[in-house]
Amino acid sequence: MNMIVCVKQVIDPEAPPATFKIDTSTNQVVPPAGMSPVIDPYGEYAVEAALKIKDAVGGKITAISLGTNQLRDVVKKPLSMGADELVLLEDEAYDGGDSFSTAFALAAVIKKIGEYDLILCGREASDWNAGQVGSGIAEILGLPSITLVKKIDVADGKARIERLTSDGYEVIEVSLPAVVTVSNEIGEPRYPTIKGIMGAKKKDPTVWTPADVGLDPAQIGAAGRKTKMLKLFQPAHEGQVEIIEGESPEESAANLASKLREAKIF
Amino acid sequence: MADNKGVMAYCEVADGKLAAIGAELLGGGRKLADDLGEELVAVLVGSGVSGLVQEAIALGAEKVYVVDDELLKEYQADSYVAAMEKVAMQAMPRIIMLGQTNVGRDLAPRLAFRLGTAASLDCLELAIDADSKALLQTKPVYGGNAYAVFTTEYYPQVVTARVKSMQPLERDDSRKGEVINVDAGLDASAIRTRVVEKVVEEVEGIKLEDASIIVSGGRGIGGADGFKQLEELAKILKAAVGASRPPCDNAWVPAGLQVGLTGKIVSPDLYIAIAISGSSQHMSGCSGSKNIVAINKDPEANIVKQARFAVIGDWKKIIPAFTEKIKELMAG
Ligand SMILES: Cc1cc2nc3c(=O)[nH]c(=O)nc-3n(C[C@H](O)[C@H](O)[C@H](O)COP(=O)(O)OP(=O)(O)OC[C@H]3O[C@@H](n4cnc5c(N)ncnc54)[C@H](O)[C@@H]3O)c2cc1C
């Protein structure tokens, strides 16, 4: 099984909402001071999904990450978890893309890698919440795609996949190669082992410029966008909280119940 | 581009009925179409869906495109993208709206890429720019910490709208409309996936989406036992039980109870958030609630800032006393 996982570096989405800031003059998010970026959580679930398959049937996992200023310690996480190779698309030309230009670049890289049975992405990245790159890659490469995946079993060139629905899940069979986008229901990503971390330290990622992949800079990054962002802003949270007090937690609780009754909320 | 006209609403069918999101899209789409001075069309895709045409018209559509084919019995990206591509090429709409459901999340991006563009998913607001007539697509980014307004010069402009973000029109059965049947022209061999089983995970009691009160627990509940206490409170209040993501990930509650950006979107009259910190991703799912009550030991937690009422303390002490008092008040 040859597997390719697309996973990028993001601002830590678990940072407290109060630390989130925007520079409105540039329409950009200001990374919170003193907090390291992380690999995108849903991408990490995709790495875990690939590792589960590798555990079951063996295979090779190549992680691809597109972006600029990628900290090696961060983007090497898939390697330390157990992936075999890391390809970095690191060039200013890749910058400022949207789902369209990003999927376009990733699809070109996947084609260059050439051997793949399964391509895994996260269901949506924690920064732009676009939720489109996996489906886009499938369209560009002409592959079937299954999104919102919670379980994958592979055997005999086929995959049996559980996909989340509004009231449960459906079991889907697909022949490979295919693209999947992974949800958190796949199970918590494993912690890197010491051996994994040591191995990742020694491993040099492959870095590809657009020219290496045969990409025209006009088709990628900001130049290849189909969508335009007009404005980025923080929603205002109006409203004042009323803290309900009491002599004891039990009394506060009773006061809360009375308050809700008075306000006819129940 | 100038050839693309009109607003198209993809109306999902679930269990042979028009899903609620369809009515919402037709309501929101009606306004966009009126602002553009163009028509609103609905699309029905499935097997045996023709009977729903009148309902789509009664909810605001002037035309209904129907793709009815045995091969469309079940949603699958390959067949539905092909059907929608055909409809889009025939109708050449300016805008295609879908719902941010597990179907829309799958269909919208594949359809957009097939048509040579990208979509905007999970829009909270859609409006027409008076000068350019471009669709202004406002959607949450960074988990809801920020909103971004997107537009595109490529047509059709494909979007999904968040569930409950738009108001349906009053159903009016006297409305008249036109029906256009489109031949799916599907070849079974072009459908590369096969649905072998559908599993419905029944949730006891009131459904989250329908509840007017929700009792929701977070990581601080600590285990399945804690949720038993929440269930007891919910029963008394005739409420549904919800959760943030960690209780679902830890299997303290079924995954279907997750509220948030990647879970259910709810807007009850009362949302009681117990031991939930109020991450932006969680708030995305419940900020439409009329009243949020936070029960948290941390006065600095984000949920406290966004609540109308809060009690600061250990839920293990607060919930039993709260439940008792509610019982008493309801008996009185
Ligand atoms: C792309 C993306 C999508 C996501 N989608 C969702 C989503 O849809 N829904 C969702 O919920 N999350 C989602 N998350 C996860 C989200 O970022 C948070 O990790 C999660 O919401 C935290 O859940 P929590 O508030 O229960 O846990 P925590 O943040 O750990 O908070 C626990 C809270 O419990 C309080 N507490 C602990 N013990 C007690 C006690 N004894 N009494 C009272 N209070 C106590 C603490 O003070 C704290 O405030 C998503 C994340 C990403 C990156």
Side-chain angles (χ1 to χ4, degrees):
Chain A
M1 274 293 287
N2 285 305
M3 292 173 276
I4 295 178
V5 185
C6 303
V7 54
K8 66 170 162 181
Q9 170 180 302
V10 293
I11 290 175
D12 189 350
E14 300 278 349
T19 63
F20 186 86
K21 295 275 169 321
I22 287 171
D23 180 347
T24 43
S25 65
T26 58
N27 260 356
Q28 282 190 347
V29 175
V30 184
M35 286 192 78
S36 170
V38 295
I39 66 164
D40 175 59
Y42 277 115
E44 198 172 339
Y45 283 109
V47 175
E48 175 60 28
L51 289 167
K52 283 197 163 84
I53 296 169
K54 189 176 163 181
D55 291 344
V57 300
K60 178 179 169 193
I61 302 171
T62 304
I64 311 178
S65 180
L66 178 153
T68 39
N69 301 321
Q70 306 189 82
L71 301 182
R72 292 299 182 264
D73 279 350
V74 173
V75 292
K76 278 188 171 183
K77 186 154 186 197
L79 290 176
S80 55
M81 290 168 72
D84 302 280
E85 299 291 337
L86 176 64
V87 175
L88 297 180
L89 304 183
E90 227 175 4
D91 192 288
E92 266 166 29
Y94 294 119
D95 234 10
D98 66 356
S99 309
F100 196 90
S101 52
T102 302
F104 193 83
L106 290 170
V109 173
I110 292 166
K111 251 191 265 174
K112 182 177 161 89
I113 293 172
E115 290 184 336
Y116 52 81
D117 301 300
L118 193 63
I119 298 163
L120 303 99
C121 298
R123 60 179 282 180
E124 67 180 64
S126 62
D127 48 5
W128 295 103
N129 303 114
Q132 302 186 59
V133 165
S135 303
I137 291 172
E139 275 296 320
I140 295 166
L141 296 177
L143 298 175
S145 63
I146 300 173
T147 56
L148 310 179
V149 166
K150 64 177 284 232
K151 191 162 187 276
I152 309 170
D153 289 307
V154 285
D156 312 323
K158 268 204 240 162
R160 202 181 151 88
I161 292 175
E162 293 180 6
R163 174 182 190 271
L164 296 166
T165 57
S166 62
D167 53 6
Y169 63 93
E170 56 194 6
V171 185
I172 299 175
E173 262 179 20
V174 64
S175 55
L176 301 177
V179 180
V180 295
T181 77
V182 177
S183 192
N184 48 292
E185 287 79 3
I186 203 90
E188 285 294 316
R190 64 198 61 190
Y191 286 106
T193 58
I194 302 285
K195 194 168 152 246
I197 295 169
M198 297 310 289
K201 270 210 166 49
K202 280 185 234 138
K203 184 128 204 150
D204 282 328
T206 307
V207 181
W208 278 337
T209 64
D212 294 332
V213 195
L215 278 166
D216 175 355
Q219 292 174 302
I220 57 174
R225 288 186 76 110
K226 295 284 181 184
T227 59
K228 192 155 72 186
M229 187 169 68
L230 301 177
K231 197 173 152 197
L232 181 68
F233 63 101
Q234 281 181 272
H237 293 298
E238 75 277 21
Q240 272 280 313
V241 59
E242 184 179 334
I243 306 279
I244 310 290
E245 317 260 8
E247 291 293 324
S248 63
E250 289 80 3
E251 195 185 297
S252 314
N255 290 344
L256 172 66
S258 306
K259 191 89 194 183
L260 294 178
R261 189 63 161 184
E262 264 165 48
K264 297 198 168 58
I265 295 173
F266 79 91
Chain B
M1 269 176 225
D3 299 343
N4 289 69
K5 279 212 163 41
V7 178
M8 175 175 279
Y10 170 77
C11 296
E12 232 171 270
V13 179
D15 303 324
K17 289 200 282 274
L18 213 61
I21 183 71
E24 294 167 23
L25 293 175
L26 288 169
R30 186 66 264 165
K31 179 154 191 319
L32 297 176
D34 291 345
D35 288 349
L36 285 163
E38 296 176 5
E39 64 183 5
L40 173 67
V41 306
V43 189
L44 294 167
V45 179
S47 172
V49 294
S50 305
L52 301 170
V53 162
Q54 193 46 47
E55 190 177 351
I57 293 169
L59 288 165
E62 286 152 83
K63 266 187 200 158
V64 184
Y65 285 84
V66 180
V67 196
D68 204 321
D69 191 305
E70 185 60 29
L71 288 172
L72 296 164
K73 197 154 180 283
E74 232 123 41
Y75 173 79
Q76 291 186 85
D78 279 346
S79 50
Y80 273 61
V81 173
M84 282 301 288
E85 181 190 10
K86 251 190 125 178
V87 172
M89 294 314 285
Q90 186 172 332
M92 297 292 270
R94 181 189 289 276
I95 297 168
I96 303 179
M97 306 165 77
L98 302 93
Q100 178 75 348
T101 61
N102 284 6
V103 166
R105 281 178 160 115
D106 193 71
L107 178 54
R110 287 248 339 229
L111 177 63
F113 273 77
R114 180 75 55 96
L115 299 171
T117 184
S120 287
L121 268 59
D122 203 19
C123 294
L124 296 172
E125 220 183 284
L126 293 168
I128 302 296
D129 182 75
D131 297 330
S132 66
K133 287 196 169 184
L135 180 66
L136 304 175
Q137 310 153 19
T138 306
K139 66 159 278 156
V141 294
Y142 287 87
N145 275 319
Y147 289 178
V149 183
F150 289 102
T151 184
T152 172
E153 285 157 16
Y154 298 86
Y155 288 77
Q157 305 165 94
V158 182
V159 294
T160 69
R162 183 175 283 187
V163 170
K164 294 182 184 151
S165 66
M166 296 177 164
Q167 281 297 320
L169 298 178
E170 197 82 50
R171 182 176 172 150
D172 176 357
D173 282 295
S174 69
R175 284 200 181 99
K176 298 260 177 304
E178 187 189 339
V179 183
I180 300 163
N181 286 297
V182 178
D183 177 20
L186 285 170
D187 173 358
S189 68
I191 307 172
R192 297 163 292 182
T193 54
R194 196 165 68 87
V195 180
V196 289
E197 196 187 345
K198 272 186 186 288
V199 180
V200 175
E201 290 174 332
E202 295 286 352
V203 177
E204 277 175 56
I206 302 163
K207 273 178 80 179
L208 264 179
E209 300 92 314
D210 304 335
S212 55
I213 302 180
I214 294 172
V215 176
S216 198
R219 197 196 311 266
I221 298 297
D225 281 351
F227 270 90
K228 294 243 159 59
Q229 293 188 47
L230 270 47
E231 277 161 28
E232 193 195 320
L233 172 60
K235 205 174 259 166
I236 297 165
L237 284 169
K238 296 195 173 55
V241 173
S244 62
R245 200 172 82 185
C248 302
D249 283 348
N250 290 312
W252 303 340
V253 295
L257 298 196
Q258 182 182 319
V259 171
L261 188 68
T262 50
K264 301 252 153 62
I265 306 292
V266 299
S267 48
D269 294 334
L270 174 59
Y271 188 81
I272 308 179
I274 309 165
I276 291 175
S277 66
S279 66
S280 56
Q281 296 89 356
H282 184 77
M283 296 317 293
S284 294
C286 65
S287 58
S289 308
K290 286 216 187 73
N291 299 284
I292 295 177
V293 168
I295 295 174
N296 201 299
K297 64 178 185 190
D298 175 10
E300 298 299 319
N302 190 55
I303 188 81
V304 174
K305 297 192 187 103
Q306 295 203 31
R308 173 154 177 219
F309 300 111
V311 176
I312 307 302
D314 185 349
W315 72 268
K316 292 190 199 94
K317 298 212 170 80
I318 293 162
I319 291 303
F322 182 66
T323 308
E324 275 317 303
K325 185 71 181 180
I326 296 267
K327 263 194 217 161
E328 190 189 308
L329 290 168
M330 291 188 61

